[in-house]
């Protein structure tokens, strides 16, 4: 093939990828992407200046955290929890926020971000960055540099893979599932596992009775709950959740399906699809949709006001909703695939079998190949089992709460960070529950776990 033909093929491929992203993101999404690219250039310039101003010649043991620390997205929240866990663990830490404008209250910023006059990028032995941090990789060679990745399983990570490989930095996964994916994909780069910084405490939550009354739910109703963002509608597999509930409880007005959502106004197509499926499934009188902003007390109490948490996701980066429900001693019914399998096990949750299916163009960019489709009938059976055998369900849910408290404890987190800082790649890896091998650039092999 001539160089001219190769260039045309490369251009054609880039155009195809760009068009696929337009279909998925829309024009507004593309504009936002361009804005982020510009901001990234500004951030890089700021960080380079910060590096050149470093006054430290020999770093001491500790961690410098760099990323969008004051953002409102879930990745930023996880980074903030990571910082708070480091402090609770007694591990020296300093932080640098790459956002140009804070998106969280000033009082919270003060708890997270190190004042610039106290920050020195060369101070500590390890630098932990969000995966797209603009800090050039050829700077500060005396520090151990890693990029920490939180995403919806290997599917989103596949799109990041070229960027991560080009950086040459180490990579941190925060679930067993993603850790194993990284080890198979990035064979020439060090890969580490750090325990996810799960921090969830219910403070002054609205009571179960008050919430049910407030949102028109009977005090004795059996409530199936799911909390999601419409921006992740297809990945969260909302149609499957609706159909599983309908198979289990259609016509039983004492059973309710409750969705707490955000982003409905910006995702009208998905909203209308959801409403259509609810109607066609015959559960309109059993469906409760809360899409408006809720006060913090209501948000904290909503999971506790329900009887079971249902997630038939196609891919997950951690599964914070499932984790919060399990930590409160609630039964969790979930797809037996992706990062949530670190805590959703047969002894702690109702693990739903699945099959691998192709990802359709409107669901995700064309660079992704396939993801999991949960067995709706098995999910319906699990929901009925939980309602029909409340004592047995409570016992399994109690084991889940115990596991969450122990597995995601500060002591375990500290142990994993210390292993990471000592360069250990094996002490902090767990037995992986996946029976599916994921090959870079190919997609998941069809199969299921038992």
């Amino acid at each position: 093939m001539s160089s001219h033909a190769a260039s045309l093929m490369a251009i054609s491929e880039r155009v195809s990828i760009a068009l696929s992203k337009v279909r998925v993101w829309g024009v507004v999404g593309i504009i936002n992407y361009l804005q982020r690219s510009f901001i990234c250039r500004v951030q890089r310039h700021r960080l380079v200046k910060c590096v050149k101003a470093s006054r430290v010649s020999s770093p001491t043991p500790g961690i410098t955290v760099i990323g969008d620390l004051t953002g409102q997205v879930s990745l930023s929240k996880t980074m903030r929890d990571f910082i708070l866990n480091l402090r609770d663990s007694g591990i020296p830490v300093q932080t640098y926020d790459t956002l140009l404008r804070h998106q969280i209250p000033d009082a919270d910023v003060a708890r997270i971000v190190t004042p610039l006059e106290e920050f020195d990028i060369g101070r500590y032995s390890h630098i932990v960055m969000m995966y797209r941090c603009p800090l050039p990789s050829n700077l500060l060679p005396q520090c151990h540099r890693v990029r920490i990745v939180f995403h919806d399983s290997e599917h989103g990570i596949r799109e990041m893979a070229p960027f991560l490989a080009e950086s040459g930095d180490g990579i941190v996964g925060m679930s067993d599932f993603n850790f194993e994916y990284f080890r198979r994909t990035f064979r020439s780069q060090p890969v580490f596992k750090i325990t996810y910084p799960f921090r969830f405490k219910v403070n002054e939550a609205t009571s179960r009775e008050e919430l049910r009354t407030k949102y028109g739910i009977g005090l004795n109703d059996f409530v199936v709950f799911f909390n999601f963002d419409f921006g992740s509608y297809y990945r969260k597999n909302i149609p499957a959740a609706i159909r599983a509930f309908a198979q289990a409880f259609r016509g039983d007005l004492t059973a309710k399906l409750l969705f707490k959502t955000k982003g409905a106004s910006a995702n009208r197509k998905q909203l209308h699809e959801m409403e259509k499926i609810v109607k066609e499934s015959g559960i309109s009188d059993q469906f409760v949709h809360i899409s408006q902003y809720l006060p913090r007390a209501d948000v904290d109490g909503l999971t506790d006001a329900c009887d079971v948490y249902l997630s038939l996701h196609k891919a997950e980066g951690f599964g914070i909703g499932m984790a919060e429900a399990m930590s409160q001693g609630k039964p969790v019914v979930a797809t037996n695939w992706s990062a949530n399998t670190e805590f959703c096990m047969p002894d702690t949750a109702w693990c739903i079998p699945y099959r691998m299916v192709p990802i359709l163009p409107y669901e995700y960019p064309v660079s992704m190949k396939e993801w999991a489709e949960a067995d709706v009938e098995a999910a319906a059976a699990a929901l009925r089992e939980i309602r029909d055998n409340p004592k047995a369900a409570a016992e399994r849910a109690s084991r889940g709460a115990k596991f969450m408290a122990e597995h995601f404890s500060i002591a375990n987190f500290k142990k994993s960070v210390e292993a990471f800082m000592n360069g250990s790649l094996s002490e902090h890896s767990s037995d992986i529950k996946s029976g599916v091998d994921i090959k870079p650039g190919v997609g998941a092999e069809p199969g299921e776990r038992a």
Side-chain angles (χ1 to χ4, degrees):
M1 181 184 296
S2 68
S3 60
H4 179 67
S7 296
L8 288 176
M9 184 174 294
I11 293 172
S12 176
E13 183 176 352
R14 289 182 180 179
V15 170
S16 176
I17 292 174
L19 289 174
S20 74
K21 290 182 176 179
V22 170
R23 286 196 298 270
V24 174
W25 295 347
V27 175
V28 173
I30 294 297
I31 293 173
N32 290 338
Y33 170 77
L34 294 174
Q35 289 177 336
R36 288 195 301 270
S37 297
F38 171 76
I39 291 171
C40 186
R41 288 180 179 273
V42 176
Q43 292 168 337
R44 185 180 188 278
H45 178 70
R46 290 171 61 202
L47 281 169
V48 169
K49 286 181 62 177
C50 188
V51 169
K52 292 179 178 179
S54 176
R55 302 175 298 277
V56 177
S57 58
S58 180
T60 59
I63 293 180
T64 296
V65 182
I66 303 175
D68 294 350
L69 307 182
T70 60
Q72 291 184 335
V73 299
S74 59
L75 305 188
S76 297
K77 169 65 165 58
T78 301
M79 292 300 285
R80 293 195 291 272
D81 289 345
F82 177 61
I83 293 163
L84 294 173
N85 268 18
L86 287 174
R87 288 178 177 161
D88 287 350
S89 300
I91 295 172
V93 58
Q94 63 173 354
T95 66
Y96 184 95
D97 183 29
T98 52
L99 283 179
L100 304 183
R101 182 179 302 168
H102 299 153
Q103 299 174 5
I104 62 175
D106 289 343
D108 292 337
V109 173
R111 298 168 58 230
I112 298 298
V113 179
T114 301
L116 282 177
E117 61 271 17
E118 299 175 15
F119 183 85
D120 191 310
I121 202 167
R123 176 176 293 130
Y124 293 131
S125 55
H126 290 72
I127 297 179
V128 176
M129 300 166 281
M130 290 178 75
Y131 69 95
R132 284 202 182 277
C133 175
L135 180 63
S137 293
N138 61 342
L139 298 176
L140 293 177
Q142 72 271 30
C143 296
H144 298 280
R145 303 161 48 88
V146 299
R147 296 182 184 267
I148 199 162
V149 183
F150 316 98
H151 215 283
D152 43 293
S153 184
E154 79 288 350
H155 303 94
I157 295 163
R158 195 183 307 282
E159 196 169 20
M160 305 173 200
F163 178 87
L164 293 170
E166 183 180 350
S167 76
D169 296 329
I171 300 168
V172 171
M174 283 200 168
S175 72
D176 289 341
F177 189 89
N178 286 349
F179 172 65
E180 282 300 293
Y181 172 77
F182 295 151
R183 288 207 303 185
R184 289 193 294 267
T185 303
F186 303 98
R187 298 184 183 276
S188 63
Q189 293 166 254
V191 177
F192 303 88
K193 166 75 191 299
I194 292 179
T195 299
Y196 190 93
F198 177 67
R199 299 173 67 93
F200 180 69
K201 292 181 174 62
V202 176
N203 298 314
E204 300 180 1
T206 306
S207 71
R208 173 187 177 95
E209 293 74 17
E210 185 178 344
L211 277 173
R212 287 192 169 216
T213 301
K214 188 173 185 178
Y215 297 111
I217 300 170
L219 297 182
N220 296 317
D221 285 351
F222 182 82
V223 180
V224 178
F225 178 52
F226 188 46
N227 186 358
F228 69 94
D229 188 325
F230 268 101
S232 300
Y233 176 86
Y234 295 110
R235 181 171 64 84
K236 296 294 186 179
N237 205 5
I238 303 309
I242 295 169
R243 290 172 179 134
F245 176 87
Q247 283 196 27
F249 305 121
R250 183 189 294 110
D252 182 352
L253 296 182
T254 64
K256 298 292 192 300
L257 177 62
L258 170 61
F259 284 167
K260 169 63 184 80
T261 71
K262 64 178 180 178
S265 60
N267 296 272
R268 290 290 181 182
K269 176 178 177 291
Q270 291 86 347
L271 173 63
H272 294 154
E273 179 183 313
M274 181 189 78
E275 293 171 341
K276 180 180 178 184
I277 296 172
V278 166
K279 184 177 180 180
E280 291 175 347
S281 299
I283 61 167
S284 296
D285 292 340
Q286 299 168 257
F287 181 61
V288 180
H289 180 204
I290 303 174
S291 60
Q292 70 269 29
Y293 170 83
L294 295 186
R296 183 73 248 175
D298 284 14
V299 173
D300 283 347
L302 200 56
T303 300
D304 189 53
C306 301
D307 298 290
V308 56
Y309 193 90
L310 174 66
S311 177
L312 300 185
H313 58 269
K314 296 187 176 186
E316 271 294 355
F318 176 67
I320 191 70
M322 291 173 275
E324 290 179 354
M326 187 176 290
S327 71
Q328 292 187 62
K330 294 295 177 179
V332 174
V333 176
T335 310
N336 193 29
W337 168 259
S338 234
N340 62 291
T341 55
E342 183 163 334
F343 54 90
C344 291
M345 299 170 286
D347 196 46
T348 63
W350 284 255
C351 303
I352 304 305
Y354 63 91
R355 58 190 175 88
M356 301 306 293
V357 299
I359 299 178
L360 301 176
Y362 63 84
E363 294 178 322
Y364 227 76
V366 294
S367 56
M368 315 309 165
K369 301 301 180 184
E370 55 186 0
W371 51 14
E373 180 66 52
D375 185 327
V376 169
E377 290 187 1
L383 292 174
R384 288 192 295 267
E385 176 190 334
I386 291 167
R387 185 174 192 182
D388 294 344
N389 300 281
K391 183 178 179 181
E395 289 173 355
R396 191 184 306 192
S398 177
R399 290 193 295 270
K402 183 174 184 290
F403 178 86
M404 295 298 294
E406 295 174 352
H407 185 69
F408 295 104
S409 66
I410 289 294
N412 268 358
F413 174 84
K414 181 178 181 180
K415 182 179 178 182
S416 73
V417 173
E418 289 175 340
F420 152 66
M421 293 179 68
N422 291 331
S424 170
L425 300 184
S426 59
E427 292 177 4
H428 47 286
S429 61
S430 303
D431 291 333
I432 306 304
K433 306 170 189 67
S434 170
V436 180
D437 185 29
I438 311 220
K439 299 180 176 63
V442 176
E445 298 290 340
E448 296 181 0
R449 274 166 292 183

